[in-house]
Amino acid sequence: MSTTLNIQAEIIPNISVDCVIFGFDKNSKSLNVLLIERFLKLEDSEVPAVNDYVLRGFHTFENETIDDTANRVLKELTGLEHLYKKQFKVFGDPNRLKNEKDIIWAENEHFNRRTITIAYYVLLPTDAFQLENNPYKPKWFPVNQLPELGFDHQKIINEAYADLKEKVLHKPIVFELLADKFTIKELQDTFEAILGVEIDNRNFRRKLITKKYIIALDEKQTGVSKKPSQLYMFSKDVYQKIYKESYLINI
Amino acid sequence: MSTTLNIQAEIIPNISVDCVIFGFDKNSKSLNVLLIERFLKLEDSEVPAVNDYVLRGFHTFENETIDDTANRVLKELTGLEHLYKKQFKVFGDPNRLKNEKDIIWAENEHFNRRTITIAYYVLLPTDAFQLENNPYKPKWFPVNQLPELGFDHQKIINEAYADLKEKVLHKPIVFELLADKFTIKELQDTFEAILGVEIDNRNFRRKLITKKYIIALDEKQTGVSKKPSQLYMFSKDVYQKIYKESYLINI
DNA sequence: ATTAATAAACGTTTTATAAACGCTATAATA
DNA sequence: TATTATAGCGTTTATAAAACGTTTATTAAT
């Protein structure tokens, strides 16, 4: 690893961070996951030994917090900082890297077979950054149509998605998947894409616009060939004030 | 570490698991945390160098999953298996062990100052096991009246408690803090202790007994000097059937 | 036996929210 | 100026929450 990358600090060889980056594409109304290619061609072979996709991750440095590792990985991959991220689970099974390709890959990269990885998921709109000219050649895939994945990354994504589905019902995190200014319809599309359900637009609309933390702006959509819709923003401050002592037991 | 304990497998020196054990005491209606004493007297001193409380934890073995580490720690401490546990966060700040006592302790125990710990919280009724003759000399403390804590364990408990408060509103985990058979009042007491609120008994009672997964037993409380109350049980099966596709957006 | 004390358990009314549906309004474009 | 697609408003009904009052079953004391 240190042979291929010039790094400024010592890595902790058995601890890494992996990031499940969820992006919502409001045009295709699709919840996507950002993956990078894992490609390895050994000298003695025509066909690649490894050719699939994985999440982007990296080892933690000796002098770094886990959150900082995640921030670093995210910055390198997307160019963005201050992204919404949730550390949701550790994957530390001694047999995480079990299939043949993983073993070939791990040997080639000389990395510790007993690495425990701390997994985060991240929420952003897919258009928050550009994929072109990105050295990692990342690609968006709809969360329900993922390609073949290396390591235990399918499992990690599954668990991230389950956590997201659950959390989105109670916490105001949908907004992280949209631009600062959004329409009610986009918000509904986002919920529908995450939860895989259909929601009545009229009831949804009413429910949302009556919330005090959903604030109508003096602005409408432009560049649409239909009735342009009202833009709204989400006020985190107002939300937190209201929900500071809300404890509706809902079991 | 390996000098004091005879262990059957190699530990991973920089990875540990810590368990925040929450116990509900239905008599005192108190949500408690189980702590063990951390005590060290150096040869050259009269007063102990370290004398405070910590969570129980241990390093992960080379051939062990993280969950198994937690199970092992819990079994050793409580004698119990199959406890409800939730892996809720990793604490990996390079400066986690910052105060003087932690440094003295870490040196004495020769353990890695850059240990990342994977924290779980566990739910059980305090009377699920006995404290007497326990080699770790564990003690229950009300979650809001904790003694001086070592390492970053106050922080870990705070975050565990925050997660519990949040989770208890949406997931059927209160039942883990009670015996299999419980009264509606005990259930209410548990919610009140966790959330630190008062709940109207009449509304709470009605709400709960109409749930299909709260099942009235052919049994009443005994040994009480008041009207004995009806015992109930929680059916996980029924719960899961009902809530498989519930997605009430509640932001 | 009667009564007091205590918590269990049931009931009623009001208010708020959710669900299900019909209908109107506004813009770009043809 | 008509078309069309989506934005956006309205109404009614069903369900659940909130805020109370009242009754009942038990033990223990008189």
Side-chain angles (χ1 to χ4, degrees):
Chain A
M1 206 125 230
S2 42
T3 55
T4 55
L5 269 166
N6 224 335
I7 50 179
Q8 68 280 43
E10 281 291 311
I11 64 164
I12 303 177
N14 62 345
I15 298 174
S16 69
V17 164
D18 280 307
C19 294
V20 181
I21 301 180
F22 287 112
F24 181 67
D25 179 341
K26 66 183 181 185
N27 298 313
S28 63
K29 301 177 184 180
S30 167
L31 182 67
N32 298 330
V33 177
L34 192 67
L35 300 173
I36 62 173
E37 220 174 330
R38 187 173 71 154
F39 186 91
L40 176 66
K41 202 166 186 166
L42 298 174
E43 283 177 12
D44 55 354
S45 170
E46 284 277 312
V47 285
V50 182
N51 185 13
D52 51 18
Y53 285 87
V54 287
L55 299 168
R56 175 69 189 153
F58 204 79
H59 288 276
T60 294
F61 291 139
E62 278 293 353
N63 59 354
E64 189 181 45
T65 68
I66 312 293
D67 270 9
D68 284 342
T69 309
N71 289 334
R72 175 166 53 81
V73 166
L74 294 168
K75 177 81 190 294
E76 277 177 20
L77 184 57
T78 68
L80 301 170
E81 294 179 270
H82 312 297
L83 291 169
Y84 174 85
K85 63 179 191 298
K86 162 104 204 280
Q87 184 214 286
F88 71 99
K89 192 154 185 191
V90 171
F91 295 83
D93 195 303
N95 305 310
R96 298 178 53 213
L97 280 55
K98 56 186 179 307
N99 79 45
E100 203 189 339
K101 288 179 183 174
D102 296 337
I103 293 163
I104 295 170
W105 184 266
E107 267 167 26
N108 190 264
E109 298 269 325
H110 317 102
F111 74 66
N112 195 330
R113 290 276 290 285
R114 181 70 206 262
T115 296
I116 75 133
T117 197
I118 298 152
Y120 285 76
Y121 62 84
V122 175
L123 305 179
L124 46 71
T126 50
D127 57 11
F129 68 99
Q130 295 306 309
L131 298 180
E132 285 92 58
N133 306 319
N134 189 310
Y136 297 99
K137 298 207 175 92
K139 246 185 105 175
W140 290 111
F141 291 88
V143 68
N144 295 319
Q145 298 159 52
L146 297 175
E148 193 188 333
L149 288 160
F151 308 124
D152 53 354
H153 288 191
Q154 180 69 60
K155 190 182 177 201
I156 294 178
I157 294 171
N158 291 348
E159 298 212 23
Y161 188 25
D163 195 294
L164 171 60
K165 274 183 175 169
E166 150 92 55
K167 210 171 153 66
V168 80
L169 297 175
H170 314 295
K171 291 271 160 181
I173 58 171
V174 236
F175 307 107
E176 309 289 346
L177 289 159
L178 292 168
D180 290 345
K181 300 171 182 183
F182 54 83
T183 71
I184 299 294
K185 188 56 169 33
E186 284 166 0
L187 195 57
Q188 185 185 333
D189 289 342
T190 315
F191 273 112
E192 290 183 340
I194 295 171
L195 299 171
V197 296
E198 292 207 345
I199 300 169
D200 184 287
N201 173 260
R202 296 156 294 187
N203 291 330
F204 180 83
R205 161 168 256 108
R206 179 183 20 251
K207 179 169 180 172
L208 268 290
I209 58 178
T210 52
K211 303 278 181 189
K212 291 197 193 71
Y213 50 82
I214 302 284
I215 295 163
L217 301 170
D218 272 342
E219 218 173 325
K220 297 205 165 186
Q221 246 183 348
T222 54
V224 283
S225 72
K226 298 291 135 50
K227 177 176 175 179
S229 54
Q230 174 70 51
L231 290 175
Y232 293 84
M233 61 166 282
F234 166 68
S235 166
K236 202 171 184 176
D237 290 357
V238 176
Y239 182 88
Q240 286 176 339
K241 229 172 240 170
I242 293 170
Y243 282 76
K244 196 168 281 175
E245 47 195 59
S246 145
Y247 63 93
L248 186 67
I249 298 167
N250 221 349
I251 56 164
Chain B
M1 205 126 229
S2 43
T3 55
T4 55
L5 268 165
N6 225 337
I7 51 177
Q8 69 278 46
E10 281 290 310
I11 63 164
I12 304 178
N14 62 344
I15 298 175
S16 68
V17 164
D18 280 306
C19 294
V20 181
I21 302 179
F22 287 113
F24 181 67
D25 179 340
K26 68 184 182 186
N27 298 314
S28 63
K29 302 178 184 179
S30 165
L31 182 68
N32 298 331
V33 177
L34 192 67
L35 299 174
I36 61 173
E37 219 173 331
R38 186 173 71 155
F39 186 90
L40 177 67
K41 200 165 186 167
L42 299 175
E43 284 176 11
D44 55 354
S45 169
E46 283 276 312
V47 285
V50 182
N51 185 13
D52 51 19
Y53 285 87
V54 287
L55 299 168
R56 175 69 190 154
F58 204 80
H59 287 276
T60 293
F61 291 140
E62 277 293 354
N63 59 355
E64 188 182 46
T65 68
I66 311 294
D67 270 9
D68 285 342
T69 309
N71 288 335
R72 175 165 53 80
V73 167
L74 293 168
K75 177 82 190 294
E76 279 177 18
L77 184 57
T78 68
L80 302 170
E81 295 180 89
H82 312 297
L83 291 170
Y84 173 85
K85 64 180 190 298
K86 162 102 204 285
Q87 185 214 286
F88 71 98
K89 191 152 186 193
V90 172
F91 294 82
D93 194 303
N95 305 311
R96 299 179 50 215
L97 281 56
K98 56 186 179 309
N99 78 46
E100 203 188 340
K101 288 180 184 173
D102 296 338
I103 293 164
I104 295 171
W105 185 266
E107 266 168 28
N108 190 265
E109 297 270 325
H110 316 103
F111 74 68
N112 195 329
R113 289 275 290 284
R114 181 71 206 261
T115 297
I116 74 135
T117 198
I118 299 152
Y120 286 76
Y121 63 84
V122 176
L123 305 179
L124 45 71
T126 49
D127 57 11
F129 69 99
Q130 294 307 310
L131 298 182
E132 285 90 59
N133 306 320
N134 189 309
Y136 297 99
K137 300 210 174 89
K139 246 184 107 175
W140 290 111
F141 291 88
V143 67
N144 294 320
Q145 298 160 51
L146 298 175
E148 193 188 333
L149 288 159
F151 308 125
D152 53 355
H153 288 191
Q154 179 69 60
K155 190 183 176 199
I156 295 178
I157 294 171
N158 291 347
E159 298 212 23
Y161 188 25
D163 194 294
L164 169 62
K165 274 183 177 172
E166 151 91 56
K167 210 171 155 65
V168 80
L169 297 175
H170 313 296
K171 292 272 161 180
I173 57 171
V174 236
F175 307 108
E176 308 290 346
L177 289 160
L178 292 168
D180 290 346
K181 301 172 181 182
F182 53 84
T183 71
I184 299 294
K185 187 54 169 34
E186 285 166 0
L187 195 57
Q188 184 186 334
D189 288 342
T190 316
F191 273 113
E192 290 183 338
I194 296 171
L195 299 171
V197 296
E198 290 207 348
I199 301 170
D200 183 287
N201 174 260
R202 295 156 295 185
N203 291 331
F204 180 83
R205 159 167 258 109
R206 179 185 21 251
K207 179 168 179 173
L208 269 290
I209 57 179
T210 52
K211 303 277 179 189
K212 292 197 192 70
Y213 48 82
I214 302 283
I215 296 163
L217 301 170
D218 272 342
E219 217 173 324
K220 298 206 166 186
Q221 246 183 348
T222 55
V224 283
S225 72
K226 298 291 135 49
K227 177 175 176 178
S229 55
Q230 174 70 50
L231 289 175
Y232 292 85
M233 61 166 282
F234 167 68
S235 167
K236 202 171 182 173
D237 291 357
V238 176
Y239 182 87
Q240 286 176 339
K241 229 171 239 171
I242 293 171
Y243 282 74
K244 198 169 279 173
E245 47 195 58
S246 146
Y247 64 91
L248 186 68
I249 298 167
N250 220 349
I251 56 162

